[in-house]
Amino acid sequence: MMELVLSRRWPRGADGIPWTAPGGDPQRGDACVGCIRIGYEPSVTGGSPSPTQNGPEWEPEMSDATISGMKTPEVIIVGAGMAGLACARTLDAVGVGVRLIESTDRVGGRLGSELRGDVWCDLGFQVSMDNYTELERLVPRTQVPRKPFVPGAVVWDGLRRTRVIDPKHSLGAVLPLLASGLVRPRDLIASIRCRRWSSGALSSRFEGATASDVITAAGFSDRFVECFLRPFFGGVFLDETLGVDAGRFLRTLARFASGRAELPDGGMQRLAEAMADPIRSRIEFSRRVVTLTADPGVVCCDGSQYSGRAVVLAGPVDRSLDLLAGEPSDVEWSSTTTFHFRCDTAVLDEPLIVLNGSGAGRLNLVCSPTVVAGGYVADDRHVVVASCRPRRGGAPEADVDGIRSEAGRMLGVDPGRWEFIHEQRIDRALPCRPTNIDPAGLPDRVHLIGDGLDDPSIESAVRSGVACGERIMKSMT
């Protein structure tokens, strides 16, 4: 039997920055930098270690992984994002052989972080939630600690900053909210009304309705909508029109009402690495699938073929649809750009986001991850993340100095000494709308999963993968 020895090391350029294939788009899954390259594996216990332990020149020194005696995979999974990893974990736990084929050099898909110098930069402004039960089951916080945000935000209306805290979590916040003039009694009543709607089945009155329709029906004041609801949920959905489906809006509202947003120590990539650890030897990196076969199976960019008892398409939804149709799909994406800075002193005194409720400017929000969780930077300095307002059809152009100045105005601090770290243009951040696929129309023993088919979230991706794994197990019995 052939024995394959694979060395695990994150590919880097001379400047220490992780390398990407020329012409490849790692967000779309087009990068192809060679076959059977095993990428970044930071630790045997899961996740990216804090750069405070190892500094900017850290590279994983792992003993080689010898893959011998591995059983022939019964299920081929295309894509090692959170959905694909959850599906593989579910099947592997009951002894079903799996092989994951990932086109990039890391796990996580849209979820993740990049190490720039000695600063971890999440791929856009991303959060987890403490009520993600499936994520907690597979990646418990005892393995990857998570730290919560205060439930609410500081709202910048162009003139002043107002601390808007969920009264459910802090009854003492009600009077200051009312005194601020941003929140009126009708807004508190409308909030209660929306929570009641979100806790039950979707009312027939909202069939075919949008988030904007629900907000209007609830009776929120125009000022609260424009200063808080539009920038907050516009940032969540990457749609400032609030034109998303009413059901998706109410489900998202219920998630925020019953839990807290949080960040893992060391960056969002740690969640993906911990999810991948038990099945890491089953993953082949930097290998792109170009064709499906009828057996079922797949053909990779180098001509290699794999077949099994089932194929799971777990990559970006448009890439999966391309494989199914044999031609490019027409999925439309929302886009954004995120800027990362480092500064000597804390810009916030509590873990809150600062929302741009002015209706003007280029930014949607400003956050300091280092005020929330540890491990984002090697020293005791702080990181500031400025996330631009969303748009369709490509990430917005913005200049660093202008973004730095606008973020400083929102925070009420002088940003002159902030060090620019990284600009992330995210052209394919979220699908503009869910893709409805009838499973009966898929080829035999081919499965399609991922949060692009449902409400986009980490939990949705994980649940999608787990449910698919369970369906495959059932079909094998």
Side-chain angles (χ1 to χ4, degrees):
M1 181 173 293
M2 182 182 71
E3 182 180 82
L4 180 62
V5 178
L6 303 170
S7 177
R8 305 173 177 180
R9 189 174 292 271
W10 180 281
R12 294 177 182 271
D15 57 1
I17 295 176
W19 184 79
T20 302
D25 179 358
Q27 293 186 51
R28 181 173 172 83
D30 291 336
C32 179
V33 295
C35 293
I36 319 185
R37 174 191 292 159
I38 298 298
Y40 175 70
E41 180 174 6
S43 73
V44 294
T45 57
S48 308
S50 164
T52 56
Q53 300 169 352
N54 300 283
E57 301 302 322
W58 174 84
E59 289 188 14
E61 294 293 343
M62 305 294 297
S63 27
D64 288 339
T66 302
I67 303 178
S68 61
M70 183 188 297
K71 53 192 171 185
T72 301
E74 299 175 81
V75 178
I76 308 299
I77 301 174
V78 181
M82 296 300 277
L85 293 171
C87 183
R89 288 277 302 270
T90 301
L91 293 167
D92 183 73
V94 295
V96 176
V98 297
R99 183 192 300 270
L100 290 94
I101 302 176
E102 168 57 40
S103 64
T104 71
D105 54 11
R106 67 172 188 87
V107 296
R110 293 200 316 272
L111 173 76
S113 317
E114 298 176 339
L115 184 60
R116 296 286 172 164
D118 60 353
V119 176
W120 285 103
C121 300
D122 291 335
L123 302 180
F125 178 68
Q126 303 180 351
V127 298
S128 181
M129 296 288 294
D130 65 3
N131 52 10
Y132 282 176
T133 54
E134 282 298 303
L135 177 66
E136 178 68 25
R137 182 176 66 84
L138 293 172
V139 185
R141 62 195 59 244
T142 53
Q143 181 180 6
V144 179
R146 275 92 93 178
K147 304 296 172 52
F149 285 84
V150 172
V154 173
V155 174
W156 163 245
D157 66 1
L159 296 174
R160 60 178 179 172
R161 294 159 205 88
T162 303
R163 188 173 179 267
V164 179
I165 305 301
D166 186 348
K168 179 180 176 181
H169 294 274
S170 176
L171 290 177
V174 174
L175 289 179
L177 281 176
L178 294 173
S180 71
L182 175 64
V183 179
R184 300 176 181 176
R186 63 181 287 188
D187 297 313
L188 297 178
I189 295 170
S191 177
I192 294 170
R193 189 173 290 132
C194 272
R195 287 187 176 184
R196 185 175 70 247
W197 291 339
S198 70
S199 63
L202 182 64
S203 170
S204 59
R205 69 182 294 185
F206 293 128
E207 290 181 5
T210 66
S212 183
D213 295 330
V214 175
I215 289 169
T216 299
F220 287 101
S221 67
D222 290 345
R223 177 167 169 75
F224 188 71
V225 170
E226 297 306 319
C227 288
F228 182 80
L229 293 178
R230 191 176 303 281
F232 183 86
F233 286 103
V236 171
F237 302 130
L238 295 185
D239 176 11
E240 290 186 329
T241 70
L242 301 180
V244 302
D245 175 75
R248 177 180 169 191
F249 169 69
L250 289 171
R251 288 188 296 272
T252 303
L253 179 65
R255 181 72 71 183
F256 279 106
S258 62
R260 292 193 180 197
E262 56 187 11
L263 293 176
D265 287 342
M268 296 296 286
Q269 186 70 34
R270 288 202 64 192
L271 295 173
E273 299 297 336
M275 178 74 84
D277 269 347
I279 51 168
R280 195 172 295 274
S281 62
R282 318 288 199 272
I283 307 173
E284 295 189 10
F285 289 91
S286 300
R287 174 167 286 190
R288 182 166 59 93
V289 171
V290 294
T291 308
L292 297 179
T293 60
D295 31 11
V298 300
V299 179
C300 293
C301 51
D302 65 342
S304 58
Q305 300 186 34
Y306 302 92
S307 60
R309 296 175 64 181
V311 169
V312 178
L313 301 180
V317 63
D318 55 346
R319 178 61 181 151
S320 295
L321 294 178
D322 292 353
L323 290 172
L324 287 168
E327 59 185 30
S329 60
D330 59 354
V331 175
E332 186 179 10
W333 293 83
S334 295
S335 310
T336 187
T337 302
T338 303
F339 292 80
H340 302 259
F341 303 92
R342 178 165 51 188
C343 54
D344 293 331
T345 58
V347 295
L348 291 167
D349 56 10
E350 58 182 333
L352 278 167
I353 62 172
V354 179
L355 282 178
N356 180 6
S358 70
R362 290 160 292 186
L363 292 180
N364 170 248
L365 64 84
V366 179
C367 169
S368 179
T370 44
V371 176
V372 184
Y376 271 85
V377 66
D379 51 31
D380 60 356
R381 291 198 286 174
H382 295 267
V383 174
V384 177
V385 173
S387 182
C388 289
R389 296 168 66 177
R391 59 178 287 181
R392 296 186 178 189
E397 296 283 350
D399 65 285
V400 173
D401 290 338
I403 292 296
R404 182 191 283 114
S405 296
E406 186 175 339
R409 288 194 299 272
M410 288 175 59
L411 292 167
V413 301
D414 180 4
R417 296 177 62 109
W418 290 4
E419 174 191 359
F420 171 64
I421 300 296
H422 183 45
E423 173 186 355
Q424 273 168 341
R425 292 174 52 86
I426 308 171
D427 290 320
R428 302 166 68 257
L430 285 178
C432 292
R433 62 187 63 86
T435 303
N436 298 317
I437 299 293
D438 182 2
L442 295 175
D444 185 36
R445 294 179 290 161
V446 173
H447 304 262
L448 180 62
I449 64 173
D451 65 343
L453 307 175
D454 198 355
D455 301 341
S457 70
I458 301 170
E459 180 74 355
S460 176
V462 174
R463 285 182 180 274
S464 174
V466 170
C468 181
E470 292 172 346
R471 288 195 301 272
I472 292 173
M473 287 189 298
K474 186 176 180 180
S475 71
M476 290 180 171
T477 58

